[in-house]
Amino acid sequence: MASSALISETQPWKDLKGHVEDIKRTHLRELMSDAERCRSMMVEFEDILLDYSRQCATLDTIDKLFTLAEAASLKQKIERMYNGERINSTENRSVSHVALRAPRDAVICSDGKNVVPDVWKVLDKIKEFSERVRNGAWVGATGKVLKDVIAVGIGGSFLGPLFVHKSLQTDPEASEHASGRQLHFLANVDPIDVARNISGLNPETTLVVVVSKTFTTAETMLNARTLREWISAALGPSAVAKHMVAVSTNLPLVEKFGIDPNNAFAFWDWVGGRFSVCSAVGVLPLSLQYGFPIVEKFLKGAQSIDQHFHSAPFDKNIPVLLGLLSVWNVSFLGYPARAILPYSQALEKFAPHIQQVSMESNGKGVSIDGVPLPFEAGEIDFGEPGTNGQHSFYQLIHQGRVIPCDFIGIVKSQQPVYLKGEVVNNHDELMSNFFAQPDALAYGKTPEQLRRENVPHHLIPHKTFTGNRPSLSLLLPSLTAYNIGQLLAIYEHRVAVQGFIWGINSFDQWGVELGKSLATKVRKQLHASRVKGEPVEGFNYSTTTMLTRYLEATSDVPSDPPTLLPRI
Ligand SMILES: O=P(O)(O)OC[C@H]1O[C@H](O)[C@H](O)[C@@H](O)[C@@H]1O
């Protein structure tokens, strides 16, 4: 395919379009009765099992998707990513997050330079620093051990580390190493988030890690200044050096902020924010909480998937299969959403993280060459841990809109509970739902079945389930740091595969800029009105009315107030 051609103009895309009608005529009940098909739709890597037999797809569909992958030059695009070419063309950057978890002796180049030694230099520095904080060699300004950490950051500088932290929190090995320590995340610029974070914390025992790739993000910088004030007010300005460190690609701005550059942990512009959890963005706060050796296991897990993604043939390649199936569901079957449903409370923040990884990456309207797309790219990702979701939005998934679901199950619970006399243990109870839901969606329940059950006539339409609703199941052996790294990398690469097929740039995010610049205009207006009493000007009727009301109702706010921090 010529580089500027749209994938939708290729024959394999058209063939898949034509194939949709065949699939729509075939119910999943039928597809599931073909054991040979189902066997072919199970893929294993290490102890991870992917079962995609409940996709509305035949083996012929999968073959057609592989042909589409060829037309999209998927293999070559993956290669270009691993070779450190500048595939993020609108920002003129390479996309090398795989280098963040590469073994020390690996060679991964970005722009022709092996970046693995730089990666390990920072990892070694994190290891050394986190050990000193954890063992009390590095103490706060009053000589107390820093047992609490607040990581200040937003978007990619927040969601991934939060997901991994929540996943490790109840892992027996990780939690043993976190004993007596707390890790908090301050993301929202809402002062309530500040209040909630510092409530109950003592500045004397708290270390603040400011995490920002650019070190210019308005929310993060204001939150960082707020916590700097919280520390200075309690311990004096010189305490900041002992209580604040930073993670950034912009070390000059870190220094300007007043953080000692020796206490800054670098990463690089070849790491996208939403792909940065394996850089110091995640590794520093997580190492402070759990110790570097646990985080190293997490990195090794991600690395195992990097190798699998790079080398496994497409029919055995979990991220490739997942990506192709998502393209099939979105672009051909027309399902705009995807539910991410982990049957593990430890994965409670997985869906919010993947929301950013996926929606910020693939929510694009033009091809990588700037040509408007004649098809929709990206999907709406959402999710909650099972079984909570079942008692909330599953109704819509069973009888309303068709939403392809990812069911994620864990064989061995992090925290098993056995109660004498119960039919099954607590994890079995959870997993009963994990195994049942995909079949409920696939098979549904017919009016005939309901009649056989003597369901009253008038209730039959209400109790009928059409079925034929696609899902896939991922079964992980356990939820150790290693498996968590694997899960992360599977989804990161899946999203990249989708973008590679759609022919978009999955690694920029221009769509977030407009809102930011309009907020700057509002910020200026609020300042001018409060300080100089200037009227609201230059906005449309709606915004002028809302802003004026807001200013009038807060006219008691002094124009030059003294510092006031939350009091709870
Ligand atoms: O890490 P930072 O530079 O502070 O950026 C934080 C976030 O800012 C923006 O909103 C981008 O859309 C995100 O991709 C990024 O993760």
Side-chain angles (χ1 to χ4, degrees):
M1 190 178 69
S3 70
S4 60
L6 291 170
I7 186 67
S8 54
E9 287 162 9
T10 63
Q11 195 53 44
W13 182 279
K14 290 176 189 161
D15 287 348
L16 277 159
K17 279 279 175 202
H19 177 61
V20 168
E21 277 316 305
D22 307 339
I23 291 298
K24 290 224 158 141
R25 277 196 296 272
T26 322
H27 198 283
L28 262 175
R29 276 193 286 266
E30 245 172 85
L31 294 176
M32 292 301 290
S33 66
D34 179 349
E36 191 48 35
R37 168 188 168 276
C38 295
R39 197 192 54 78
S40 308
M41 291 188 165
M42 290 198 178
V43 177
E44 272 183 86
F45 173 68
E46 294 189 353
D47 288 337
I48 301 172
L49 176 64
L50 164 67
D51 173 4
Y52 61 96
S53 59
R54 290 181 193 78
Q55 289 288 304
C56 295
T58 59
L59 295 179
D60 186 31
T61 319
I62 305 302
D63 276 344
K64 287 184 157 55
L65 285 167
F66 290 145
T67 311
L68 181 73
E70 223 171 281
S73 307
L74 178 62
K75 185 90 203 127
Q76 291 85 332
K77 287 176 182 172
I78 295 172
E79 231 21 80
R80 291 183 65 204
M81 181 172 100
Y82 276 76
N83 287 341
E85 289 179 40
R86 297 187 185 195
I87 60 171
N88 175 359
S89 51
T90 61
E91 294 182 309
N92 196 24
R93 289 173 179 170
S94 55
V95 176
S96 301
H97 46 275
V98 293
L100 299 171
R101 50 251 188 163
R104 205 180 273 276
D105 56 359
V107 175
I108 298 190
C109 293
S110 173
D111 265 341
K113 177 193 171 202
N114 179 16
V115 292
V116 178
D118 292 349
V119 166
W120 274 93
K121 211 168 143 192
V122 176
L123 289 177
D124 287 338
K125 184 172 165 178
I126 293 175
K127 180 170 189 269
E128 200 246 42
F129 177 74
S130 58
E131 274 167 11
R132 286 175 68 207
V133 172
R134 287 168 59 83
N135 68 23
W138 174 292
V139 288
T142 57
K144 292 195 175 157
V145 173
L146 300 174
K147 62 182 182 55
D148 302 312
V149 170
I150 306 179
V152 184
I154 199 162
S157 295
F158 158 59
L159 291 159
L162 177 70
F163 140 61
V164 180
H165 168 52
K166 286 288 166 191
S167 306
L168 287 172
Q169 216 169 14
T170 39
D171 170 55
E173 191 192 11
S175 68
E176 197 189 315
H177 289 91
S179 167
R181 307 194 59 84
Q182 287 187 66
L183 175 58
H184 301 261
F185 291 88
L186 171 55
N188 199 329
V189 75
D190 184 341
I192 294 171
D193 206 7
V194 175
R196 290 181 178 198
N197 264 279
I198 62 178
S199 164
L201 285 189
N202 179 354
E204 286 181 282
T205 57
T206 303
L207 177 69
V208 174
V209 183
V210 185
V211 186
S212 175
K213 180 173 168 179
T214 55
F215 232 68
T216 57
T217 303
E219 293 89 340
T220 300
M221 297 327 295
L222 182 55
N223 276 334
R225 292 195 293 276
T226 307
L227 290 193
R228 185 177 61 190
E229 194 55 41
W230 177 65
I231 289 162
S232 304
L235 309 172
S238 62
V240 169
K242 283 283 174 194
H243 290 263
M244 287 187 96
V245 298
V247 175
S248 187
T249 58
N250 195 337
L251 300 183
L253 281 190
V254 170
E255 189 169 6
K256 206 166 159 209
F257 179 88
I259 291 175
D260 183 345
N262 292 319
N263 303 332
F265 298 82
F267 67 116
W268 308 271
D269 66 9
W270 43 261
V271 184
R274 54 195 173 272
F275 297 97
S276 67
V277 58
C278 295
S279 73
V281 166
V283 174
L284 178 60
L286 294 165
S287 296
L288 287 162
Q289 178 69 3
Y290 297 105
F292 184 79
I294 296 283
V295 184
E296 205 176 1
K297 289 183 186 174
F298 161 74
L299 296 177
K300 283 197 174 134
Q303 186 220 320
S304 75
I305 294 294
D306 294 342
Q307 279 175 354
H308 164 75
F309 177 53
H310 197 190
S311 60
F314 285 177
D315 61 342
K316 301 269 177 294
N317 193 315
I318 292 178
V320 167
L321 287 164
L322 290 176
L324 290 174
L325 290 167
S326 289
V327 170
W328 169 240
N329 285 320
V330 174
S331 300
F332 298 96
L333 298 182
Y335 303 139
R338 172 172 64 196
I340 298 170
L341 308 167
Y343 279 67
S344 169
Q345 193 58 29
L347 294 175
E348 63 176 307
K349 292 294 177 189
F350 184 57
H353 176 50
I354 298 308
Q355 257 174 352
Q356 190 204 11
V357 173
S358 165
M359 293 167 80
E360 195 165 77
S361 297
N362 289 338
K364 306 288 162 65
V366 297
S367 76
I368 195 155
D369 304 300
V371 181
L373 296 178
F375 55 87
E376 305 276 359
E379 70 255 284
I380 303 154
D381 289 278
F382 71 101
E384 277 291 323
T387 58
N388 302 17
Q390 290 176 204
H391 295 273
S392 166
F393 52 79
Y394 276 38
Q395 165 64 39
L396 179 138
I397 298 179
H398 279 290
Q399 288 188 310
R401 312 281 292 255
V402 177
I403 299 185
C405 296
D406 292 357
F407 290 98
I408 303 168
I410 314 294
V411 173
K412 283 196 185 134
S413 174
Q414 287 181 338
Q415 296 290 332
V417 171
Y418 300 90
L419 295 183
K420 196 171 159 46
E422 291 288 337
V423 181
V424 291
N425 66 58
N426 297 30
H427 187 64
D428 282 349
E429 178 65 26
L430 171 72
M431 291 301 283
S432 302
N433 291 281
F434 167 81
F435 291 114
Q437 289 291 337
D439 278 341
L441 288 169
Y443 290 83
K445 197 160 190 182
T446 63
E448 295 70 46
Q449 284 174 294
L450 293 164
R451 276 193 282 276
R452 278 200 297 276
E453 291 172 12
N454 295 324
V455 170
H457 181 70
H458 71 283
L459 285 181
I460 286 184
H462 298 281
K463 293 195 160 193
T464 298
F465 291 72
T466 55
N468 205 27
R469 289 159 189 264
S471 70
L472 55 85
S473 303
L474 256 183
L475 192 58
L476 307 185
S478 52
L479 209 53
T480 59
Y482 185 84
N483 302 133
I484 295 163
Q486 290 186 308
L487 185 62
L488 170 86
I490 286 173
Y491 273 75
E492 285 181 346
H493 295 321
R494 171 202 211 162
V495 164
V497 167
Q498 291 177 241
F500 288 150
I501 299 287
W502 281 319
I504 58 178
N505 183 354
S506 298
F507 306 105
D508 62 10
Q509 57 285 313
W510 300 107
V512 299
E513 294 305 322
L514 181 59
K516 282 189 199 170
S517 56
L518 290 182
T520 302
K521 186 176 166 196
V522 176
R523 188 186 302 121
K524 277 189 189 145
Q525 175 72 59
L526 288 176
H527 178 76
S529 298
R530 290 232 197 273
V531 176
K532 297 179 229 154
E534 283 181 13
V536 175
E537 255 172 11
F539 295 90
N540 58 32
Y541 178 83
S542 162
T543 309
T544 305
T545 309
M546 298 289 271
L547 273 176
T548 306
R549 175 178 286 225
Y550 176 70
L551 282 162
E552 277 169 9
T554 54
S555 57
D556 56 335
V557 171
S559 57
D560 187 19
T563 295
L564 172 70
L565 291 167
R567 288 153 196 261
I568 61 163

